[in-house]
Amino acid sequence: MAVTNHIRRSMIFLNTQRAALVKEAFVYHPDCVIFDLEDAVAEGEKDSARIQLYQTLKNVDYQGVERWVRVNALDSDLINEDIRAAVAGGAEGIRLPKTETAAEVQAAADKIAAAETEFNRPVGKTMMMAALESPLGIMNAYEIATASDRMMGIALSAGDYTRTMHAKRTVAGTELFGARSQMLIAARAAGVMAFATVYTDTDNEAGFVDELRLIKDMGFDGKSCINPKQIGVTHAVFNPSAAEIKHAEHVMQAVADSKANGVGVLTVDGKMVDIAWVEGAQRTLKLAQAAGIYKGALV
Amino acid sequence: MTISFHHHLRDGDYVVNMVMKEIHKLGIKDLTVCASSLGKAHDYLVPCIEDGTVTGISTSGIRDEIGEVVSKGKLKHPAVIRSHGGRARAIEDGTIKIDVAFIGASTSDVYGNASGKGGKSDTGVLSYADGDAKYANRVVVITDTIVASPNFPASIEGVDVDYVVKVDSIGDPAKIATGALRLTKDTRELNMAREVAKCMYHSGYFKDGFSFQTGAGGSSLATTVFLKDYMQQADIKCGWAMGGVTEPIVDLFKAGFVNKVLDDQSFDLAAVASAHQPGHFEISASQYANPFNKGAFVNQLNFVILGALEVDTDFNVNVVQGSNGVLRGAPGGHPDTAAGADVTIIVAPLIRSRMPTVRDRVTSITTPGESVDIIVTDYGVAVNPNRQDLLAAFKDTTIPLKTIEELRDLAYQYAGKPAPVEFDDQVVALVEYRDGTIIDTIRKPKHLN
Amino acid sequence: MQTIKQAVAGTVESSDAQVMILPQAGGLKITLDSSVYDQYGQHIIALIIETAQALGLDDALIKVVDKGALDCTIKARVETAYYRAIGQTTNLPWGCSKWQ
């Protein structure tokens, strides 16, 4: 699996057709950008967006923000050129839309490998993620997540999914409960990351925060964003709180102490601590460090 | 001969054009217009400049058509660009001798006790006309609403007034106070505003009873939102806020986060309405910003948050001249508040379309770098190295510190280094610093030939 | 000489540029209308010529309306207009030296 240390709390979609959007989206400090060649780009501007993508990847320093490209669907006649442009430009990853089977991931991976060879890039370096947008995609989540060593993660895309499920979009997200749970289980079993669908009501910050809290508590790694203003809010929810950091520090300190003293039972902040929590504490501190809010040495 | 105007009627002003048309009819030539500011509503000055009716201008704002015609060198004498405090000083120390002051007023009684409050064209305050009324040889109050005597409290006192002229209308109320100086929804501007508030919070000056002023630009104004959060967090209140007053300031005032408002200009309807309330005080331009009087409030400011067209690596700021050399701005209270405040914060995007804000040299200096402490951009925050205290205070915070040279390098990396604009020898404007010294000269750009 | 038809790419939105390529014999001719002409006009014209020549476009009128676009966008719009003008949408020579 494409496991890296990069944190991916936020992945913001940018319409690559629009010069003003792609020229300096890094100033919003997202963890990742997704240059979109698919739905956001008008049919007649696919060529233009692709060339803008290539020039942006080549010439604009994105200051460490991870650059993903959402290519057009596998069954379109656009994907080959999309992948060639993205790989030639040096994108960190390709996001495959409307994924339903492992075979599709493998087919796209083959195209990426061919492009890497053509453009003299290290073969296997370009990561992949797959968007699951249908009941079949959700059913096959584990196979999709394990279909290629390039796979970094899977993402839910709720628009088409909800339609196919004959479900209604609700504020609470009840209709997505099954899909979220199932894909998250698949992602964890496969050892890849899991990302939640976009929140389209960009003026409803309170609703957005509620949804962020829900998906964070469920275990998601990050959120797809469609407006720069969602980035700061997303990070605020995904970042560990000061209290969480403090507690994680105490846990790690207690582990160190118990190792030194040879005591088997951990007690932290007056409570017994299960050894299973240690991994969580470690993850909290790592995330806090990567987010720039923890400078301690206990990571 | 010098005649004067104020700009409280802003883009809705009828007075300047009305008076200039009459003067034009009379065939009077070679006038100097001493306005507190000029804008879109004063375009009748353009033909007056072109035919020599007006040969000199003293103003803060110089933009739009007037900015163009002056940039082209059509005005006989170089325009003198003065800050609000500088103009008050120049009137009081006799640098400017006003022969006739034309003062548009929302209401007046027949003896000339005049006010910015009430009537058909409520401007809230008449701060910039105070010196004109006290120091001009002849004072003419122009109003569309005569009220019973005494029209108290009066911004302009009848004892100073020679004539009261009633006209049908002094201005278009819809353009005098805009209803819509709304807070920005632009994420980039809000992010910068958040950094500004963070700088204030960590500066060491953020204490109960602190004072501040913000400009009316998107990010400056939006700072108020984040200030409220920080005030709650620190459990403190603001003693007073000053300035061009706007709705966000009024909202803080109403919510009890700001104890008093000192108003030299009401920018929007909420500010005009608030000017009628207790605790919201009208101050004169001299009280506001005159460097040579004994109690100017700018000297008591803890913080001022201002915009910039350009900033250079010596922290000099230009808010008057576009990067293409054409006059398109106004010092307003920029150099005055920057000189007076404990902490002067400039907030601006690093690159506008592809024009770098931070650069080697500003096209012309409005506010000297020695009075500028912090530059907040969307690419990072630079602190003037003169302010080691601030650098120390920000050390362990999440404020994304960079040097001013690093910001310039980033701007050039993304936008490319701009080629210098070429200028003729002809001087078209002088930028006068608040104390009366000339801080820069502005020449005619060659591309306007 | 290549056979080209008239083609246009880009928009006149802020930070974008609109590039029109018209068939015309007798070398490259550039017209530029730019919101940042005084500071970047010469640079942009040189960039347009360099990009066109790298593409092998030697005879054309290129009309550009620039709204403060960065170099990468100006190049991209010229390239897009060129490939539209010659009617090629796939198998573009990404990554070859003339695309840097």
Side-chain angles (χ1 to χ4, degrees), chain A:
Chain A
M1 299 310 110
V3 178
T4 64
N5 280 328
H6 210 285
I7 52 170
R8 301 184 180 93
R9 298 161 296 181
S10 58
M11 308 187 95
I12 182 159
F13 280 105
L14 304 171
N15 180 347
T16 315
Q17 190 183 331
R18 303 213 31 221
L21 285 183
V22 300
K23 72 173 195 176
E24 50 179 3
F26 52 85
V27 298
Y28 303 113
H29 303 294
D31 291 330
C32 311
V33 291
I34 304 173
F35 294 112
D36 191 7
L37 299 177
E38 198 211 10
D39 287 353
V41 178
E43 270 316 308
E45 295 292 330
K46 297 284 187 186
D47 58 337
S48 185
R50 210 183 273 137
I51 295 176
Q52 175 73 67
L53 166 76
Y54 177 78
Q55 289 296 356
T56 304
L57 288 171
K58 270 294 195 204
N59 295 306
V60 181
D61 175 2
Y62 253 67
Q63 303 195 355
V65 174
E66 202 170 74
R67 302 161 309 161
W68 287 75
V69 178
R70 177 160 81 167
V71 296
N72 285 281
L74 198 65
D75 59 3
S76 74
D77 56 2
L78 299 161
I79 187 170
N80 286 342
E81 204 62 17
D82 290 349
I83 286 178
R84 288 181 73 236
V87 170
E92 277 78 33
I94 304 277
R95 175 173 162 136
L96 190 64
K98 303 185 176 70
T99 313
E100 295 198 310
T101 66
E104 292 168 357
V105 173
Q106 284 148 6
D110 290 345
K111 291 178 193 293
I112 294 169
E116 286 170 338
T117 306
E118 180 185 356
F119 299 113
N120 249 332
R121 301 197 62 85
V123 174
K125 184 143 189 266
T126 313
M127 291 181 281
M128 286 181 73
M129 64 185 292
L132 313 180
E133 311 188 22
S134 67
L136 185 58
I138 300 292
M139 293 298 292
N140 289 333
Y142 178 77
E143 288 71 24
I144 289 168
T146 52
S148 165
D149 282 349
R150 295 176 188 273
M151 286 294 286
M152 178 281 290
I154 49 178
L156 178 63
S157 188
D160 285 350
Y161 172 80
T162 315
R163 186 174 47 79
T164 343
M165 288 298 290
H166 305 182
K168 190 179 147 196
R169 287 307 299 269
T170 64
V171 175
T174 320
E175 78 287 3
L176 295 177
F177 193 66
R180 280 179 175 148
S181 303
Q182 194 163 340
M183 67 165 284
L184 196 53
I185 294 165
R188 292 290 169 254
V192 303
M193 284 180 152
F195 302 94
T197 188
V198 296
Y199 190 80
T200 49
D201 186 2
T202 54
D203 285 332
N204 183 359
E205 186 174 323
F208 185 54
V209 168
D210 286 346
E211 183 166 307
L212 285 169
R213 290 214 176 100
L214 171 78
I215 60 155
K216 184 200 176 195
D217 290 348
M218 285 184 80
F220 278 94
D221 295 284
K223 182 86 173 156
S224 304
C225 301
I226 49 169
N227 187 303
K229 72 178 171 189
Q230 295 180 326
I231 294 168
V233 185
T234 301
H235 291 188
V237 172
F238 270 94
N239 284 348
S241 67
E244 285 169 335
I245 293 172
K246 182 135 270 167
H247 182 73
E249 272 189 301
H250 291 171
V251 170
M252 298 309 293
Q253 193 59 54
V255 171
D257 292 350
S258 78
K259 269 186 192 153
N261 306 334
V263 181
V265 180
L266 286 183
T267 312
V268 175
D269 298 341
K271 284 183 189 159
M272 277 248 294
V273 166
D274 195 303
I275 197 73
W277 291 6
V278 174
E279 197 191 314
Q282 225 160 7
R283 202 167 43 240
T284 298
L285 292 183
K286 271 189 181 163
L287 178 59
Q289 187 189 46
I293 52 175
Y294 177 65
K295 296 196 166 63
L298 288 170
V299 177

Side-chain angles (χ1 to χ4, degrees), chain B residues 58 66 111-112 134 137 207 235 239 251 292 295 312 329 360 386-387 399 421 426 441 448:
Chain B
S58 164
I66 298 169
Y111 285 93
K134 286 180 178 150
N137 280 343
K207 294 175 181 155
D235 195 21
D251 287 345
F292 288 178
D312 69 22
D360 290 324
N386 291 341
R387 296 300 302 264
I399 296 167
V421 174
Q426 185 188 355
T441 55
L448 291 183

Side-chain angles (χ1 to χ4, degrees), chain B residues 296-319:
Chain B
F297 282 101
V298 290
N299 298 332
Q300 302 174 47
L301 274 174
N302 292 124
F303 303 98
V304 65
I305 301 113
L306 299 163
L309 293 171
E310 298 175 336
V311 182
D312 69 22
T313 47
D314 291 328
F315 289 83
N316 296 313
V317 177
N318 163 26
V319 291

